[in-house]
Amino acid sequence: MMDDLFEIGGERLGSRLLTGTGKYGDDAVIPDVCVASGSEVITVALRRVDFQAATGNVMDHIPKHMRLLPNTSGARTADEAVRIARLARAMGCGNWIKIEVIADNNHLLPDGYATVRATEVLAAEGFVVLPYVNADLYVARDLASAGAAAVMPLGAPIGTNRGLQTREMIRILIEEIDLPIIVDAGLGRPSHACEAMEMGADAVLVNTAIATAADPVSMARAFGEAVRAGRRGFLAGAGLQRLKAEASSPLTGFLEG
Amino acid sequence: MMQVIINGKPEEISTGVTLLEVIETRKLDPTRVVAELNREVVPGERFANTVMNEGDSLELLQFVGGG
């Protein structure tokens, strides 16, 4: 467990919990969330500056040691995702990018085809590309061919906190895809994250479930512990499931009545 | 004076103004803003010597909370 690091884009990470910065009631809690979660990677979004609303800057609350993972949220096409990625890199905060291409506002489901095209362009430009996609084997294979550094399948639609609704498809990705599988979106409880890790996911990304919890810092800690527990369980190798009971204690040597 | 578009809105600004001046008059920290002028990313070190021209379209963006 001590040396159980995982690697994205040549960078070794100790924590398998990635966190986000959206939806916090007060961004000032983010540093404590980072400590409690143990997370080393944190997502941000890119938006036009609003000259009217003099709001605080989220960057003031992100600890310096965190690896920034900007997303391309707001992109509806591959071209828009590429444009946002280039702008994000121009901020001087590294070359990691989470590709998010969403044209459907009802369900916020990602467009796999557009995501593959954006990944091709950006990987060729030297980005470390982490694409957010449906848990689809063919899309995942295309992403691997396109040069993605990981594949980030959704557990359930964004912000729903409904857990591993795509469990069977994620299981197939874990088996078949030779890239880190990071379950992103929809994980609502520590047990959901734990289950993803037990299944053999390499990491999970959690935002809404932590940010909207009554006590975000405590929830961040719970997710961190759940991810470690699930990972340890996976590495330990679970015993077989059986349909019929099998006694754990010997069935001989009973006391006679 | 000249007409430009900043973050989608038409504006009148003085002729010969640089990106750095546009950013600083809006009380923004130039190290925390990314600029796209006519769809081309302008690196921060060029803010001071990039002059805006009539009809230019400028986007100024920053990181915000997101997942």
Side-chain angles (χ1 to χ4, degrees):
Chain A
M1 251 336 243
M2 282 293 283
D3 296 328
D4 180 35
L5 306 173
F6 89 116
E7 202 171 300
I8 299 175
E11 191 161 324
R12 288 172 159 197
L13 299 166
S15 171
R16 293 167 179 270
L17 172 60
L18 290 69
T19 50
T21 53
K23 298 189 190 172
Y24 282 95
D26 181 356
D27 286 350
V29 77
I30 291 174
D32 290 339
V33 163
C34 291
V35 172
S37 66
S39 176
E40 296 164 45
V41 179
I42 194 159
T43 60
V44 288
L46 197 61
R47 290 290 181 275
R48 274 178 171 169
V49 177
D50 182 350
F51 303 120
Q52 265 65 51
T55 53
N57 193 308
V58 72
M59 298 300 288
D60 291 337
H61 304 291
I62 299 179
K64 295 283 173 281
H65 74 274
M66 300 293 286
R67 153 66 67 179
L68 276 193
L69 175 57
N71 68 35
T72 68
S73 68
R76 292 152 298 175
T77 65
D79 286 347
E80 287 177 5
V82 168
R83 183 179 171 197
I84 294 169
R86 289 172 179 158
L87 283 162
R89 185 162 68 174
M91 293 289 283
C93 301
N95 62 344
W96 285 31
I97 190 78
K98 171 180 158 182
I99 303 291
E100 208 176 308
V101 184
I102 294 174
D104 174 278
N105 282 333
N106 266 344
H107 304 287
L108 300 179
L109 290 172
D111 179 335
Y113 179 63
T115 303
V116 170
R117 282 192 296 141
T119 299
E120 268 171 358
V121 173
L122 293 170
E125 292 182 12
F127 282 89
V128 173
V129 182
L130 293 92
Y132 165 67
V133 284
N134 283 292
D136 181 291
L137 178 60
Y138 298 97
V139 170
R141 282 184 175 152
D142 287 346
L143 289 170
S145 305
V151 177
M152 304 179 81
L154 59 91
I158 292 174
T160 59
N161 286 345
R162 294 180 61 211
L164 280 176
Q165 302 294 319
T166 59
R167 178 184 293 100
E168 291 308 312
M169 300 305 117
I170 287 177
R171 191 187 307 283
I172 291 170
L173 296 193
I174 291 168
E175 274 175 25
E176 298 292 332
I177 301 298
D178 193 21
L179 283 175
I181 302 294
I182 303 171
V183 179
D184 180 9
L187 301 182
R189 294 162 188 265
S191 56
H192 299 153
C194 187
E195 185 181 357
M197 298 306 296
E198 274 181 352
M199 282 167 52
D202 294 277
V204 301
L205 197 160
V206 178
N207 185 352
T208 299
I210 294 174
T212 65
D215 181 346
V217 175
S218 198
M219 189 59 87
R221 188 179 311 281
F223 267 97
E225 289 169 355
V227 166
R228 284 197 298 278
R231 176 65 181 173
R232 194 181 287 276
F234 169 74
L235 292 174
L240 289 178
Q241 289 193 355
R242 296 172 189 277
L243 286 175
K244 291 180 84 173
E246 189 187 2
S248 308
S249 311
L251 290 173
T252 55
F254 293 121
L255 289 175
E256 296 296 331
Chain B
M1 299 295 279
M2 59 180 180
Q3 279 283 136
V4 295
I5 296 172
I6 300 177
N7 285 4
K9 291 196 182 117
E11 287 199 30
E12 276 232 320
I13 60 169
S14 306
T15 312
V17 160
T18 66
L19 284 194
L20 187 62
E21 286 166 334
V22 170
I23 290 164
E24 286 181 339
T25 53
R26 283 165 177 75
K27 298 190 168 38
L28 302 171
D29 177 350
T31 65
R32 289 201 167 162
V33 175
V34 62
E36 193 191 53
L37 185 61
N38 302 323
R39 292 284 185 129
E40 292 284 332
V41 178
V42 182
E45 63 268 21
R46 282 185 21 216
F47 287 173
N49 55 19
T50 300
V51 175
M52 290 199 72
N53 294 303
E54 174 77 33
D56 276 353
S57 178
L58 175 67
E59 295 280 350
L60 294 174
L61 303 105
Q62 65 185 2
F63 284 138
V64 299

